[in-house]
Amino acid sequence: MDNDGVTVLAAGLARLPTLKKLNLSNNRISDQGIQDLVGSLVNCSLEDLYLSHNSFSVFGLRSLGTLVQRATRLKSLCLRNNAIDDEGMQCLVEGIVNCCSLQTLDLSNNQSITAAGLTSLFPFFRSDNCCLEELWLREINFGDEGAAALANGLIGNESLTTLPFSLDGSGMTSRGWAAFSKLLCDTTSVNNTYLSNHTLET
């Protein structure tokens, strides 16, 4: 489905306020299509939104962030393989930082995301609104710097329990694993041990 198809679809979705799940993966939806889609979904009771394998950019992610801000029941957002980069991550975080319902975020196979993009997640991880339980980062070569960024951002976070990433494709060395080890159990002081994330799984 291209943008023209999404425009037609969006007109119909606007009349479905009880819509809970929408899967538009593996299409050719670009920024204009996302904008049309967001306009039709803001009044829906959306819980699960799947938009993997599309072709929107920073502008589409900014529109999507607006939807997440207003979709108070959204639990799952799948954005696999959309060529999201660090700037796109920043735009997305602006939308999700105040979301108090999002439990699963899948960013797998967005290979342009680096440590800088993962660092932009800090405000979300540390927000009182954050209830994220699963963050999928498979097929992203974020390296040791990305591992350190994730570990630092997750200090004190009590909601995230699952962090799937590719062991062979993450680019991590012992430095990255050490950052995660410290996150899970920081023994440098009693207080740091208490603040460690003891629930996280990979």
Side-chain angles (χ1 to χ4, degrees):
M1 184 188 305
D2 58 14
N3 288 333
D4 291 338
V6 172
T7 299
V8 175
L9 176 64
L13 293 177
R15 296 190 290 271
L16 294 173
T18 59
L19 180 69
K20 292 185 177 181
K21 182 176 181 178
L22 181 62
N23 190 339
L24 290 175
S25 299
N26 299 296
N27 284 290
R28 300 186 302 278
I29 304 172
S30 62
D31 295 333
Q32 183 58 55
I34 289 294
Q35 290 176 2
D36 292 340
L37 194 63
V38 166
S40 69
L41 292 177
V42 290
N43 295 318
C44 294
S45 303
L46 200 63
E47 295 181 359
D48 302 293
L49 179 58
Y50 302 91
L51 292 170
S52 61
H53 296 267
N54 281 289
S55 58
F56 44 87
S57 69
V58 170
F59 302 102
L61 286 165
R62 187 170 287 118
S63 298
L64 192 59
T66 300
L67 172 63
V68 175
Q69 282 182 319
R70 300 176 64 177
T72 57
R73 299 182 182 181
L74 187 66
K75 296 179 180 179
S76 180
L77 178 60
C78 182
L79 298 173
R80 282 174 174 255
N81 199 11
N82 273 295
I84 297 172
D85 58 12
D86 293 338
E87 186 180 2
M89 280 290 294
Q90 293 172 5
C91 291
L92 180 64
V93 170
E94 290 173 5
I96 67 175
V97 70
N98 294 316
C99 181
C100 58
S101 60
L102 190 64
Q103 298 175 3
T104 301
L105 177 61
D106 191 345
L107 297 169
S108 298
N109 208 30
N110 287 290
Q111 298 174 0
S112 295
I113 296 175
T114 70
L118 296 177
T119 299
S120 67
L121 286 166
F122 279 24
F124 179 49
F125 288 150
R126 298 177 178 178
S127 169
D128 292 337
N129 295 317
C130 183
C131 65
L132 192 70
E133 297 176 1
E134 299 182 25
L135 176 62
W136 290 71
L137 298 173
R138 292 194 183 279
E139 305 302 326
I140 299 178
N141 188 351
F142 50 73
D144 291 335
E145 290 186 5
L150 284 169
N152 290 334
L154 288 168
I155 292 174
N157 178 281
E158 298 180 353
S159 64
L160 195 73
T161 60
T162 307
L163 182 62
F165 55 84
S166 302
L167 297 181
D168 295 332
S170 66
M172 282 198 304
T173 68
S174 58
R175 285 180 53 227
W177 288 112
F180 278 123
S181 178
K182 188 175 181 180
L183 167 67
L184 295 172
C185 190
D186 185 351
T187 59
T188 56
S189 71
V190 173
N191 187 56
N192 286 344
T193 301
Y194 174 77
L195 291 174
S196 296
N197 187 319
H198 300 290
T199 60
L200 186 62
E201 303 172 359
T202 58

